[in-house]
């Protein structure tokens, strides 16, 4: 069984340099080997940067993903309001 390696963090500048090397013709396998990257991290960086010019998840969400996040947030807010109203109704009912 392969041992999991510790999660590493890379700066945005480093990611840009790696993507630019690839976009300028350096092979994917050579970059991954040279910089000891995981193929999935490399693929994500290239996709994100070439799609939106950003590595931030919020900049790379689809409209549907963004809408779902907003709807979940709104749903939590409405559930909280309902709970407050239930408590208020219980208090008013006792008086």
């Amino acid at each position: 069984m392969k041992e999991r390696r510790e999660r590493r963090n890379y700066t945005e500048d480093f990611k840009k340099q790696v993507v630019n090397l690839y976009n300028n013709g350096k092979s994917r396998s050579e970059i991954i080997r040279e910089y000891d990257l995981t193929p999935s991290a490399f693929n994500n960086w290239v996709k994100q940067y070439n799609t939106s010019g950003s590595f931030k998840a919020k900049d790379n969400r689809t409209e549907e993903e963004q809408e779902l996040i907003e709807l979940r947030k709104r749903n939590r807010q409405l559930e909280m309001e309902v709970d407050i109203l239930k408590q208020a109704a219980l208090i008013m009912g006792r008086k």
Side-chain angles (χ1 to χ4, degrees), residues 1-2 8-11 14-15 17 19-20 22 33 49 56 60 68 70 76 80-81 89-91 93-94:
M1 191 163 132
K2 199 173 188 181
R8 296 176 290 174
N9 291 316
Y10 299 96
T11 65
F14 176 80
K15 293 176 186 180
Q17 289 175 346
V19 172
N20 285 331
Y22 177 73
R33 185 174 50 253
Y49 192 72
K56 294 182 172 86
N60 286 289
L68 182 59
E70 291 168 10
R76 281 191 303 273
M80 210 165 49
E81 289 175 10
L90 283 172
I91 291 169
R94 292 183 192 143

Side-chain angles (χ1 to χ4, degrees), residues 2-36:
K2 199 173 188 181
E3 189 175 319
R4 286 184 68 129
R5 72 168 129 182
E6 189 174 321
R7 185 176 187 94
R8 296 176 290 174
N9 291 316
Y10 299 96
T11 65
E12 191 165 317
D13 286 337
F14 176 80
K15 293 176 186 180
K16 282 180 189 176
Q17 289 175 346
V18 167
V19 172
N20 285 331
L21 285 172
Y22 177 73
N23 288 341
N24 289 317
K26 191 164 186 173
S27 78
R28 174 184 180 272
S29 59
E30 195 176 345
I31 294 170
I32 289 171
R33 185 174 50 253
E34 188 174 326
Y35 294 98
D36 191 29

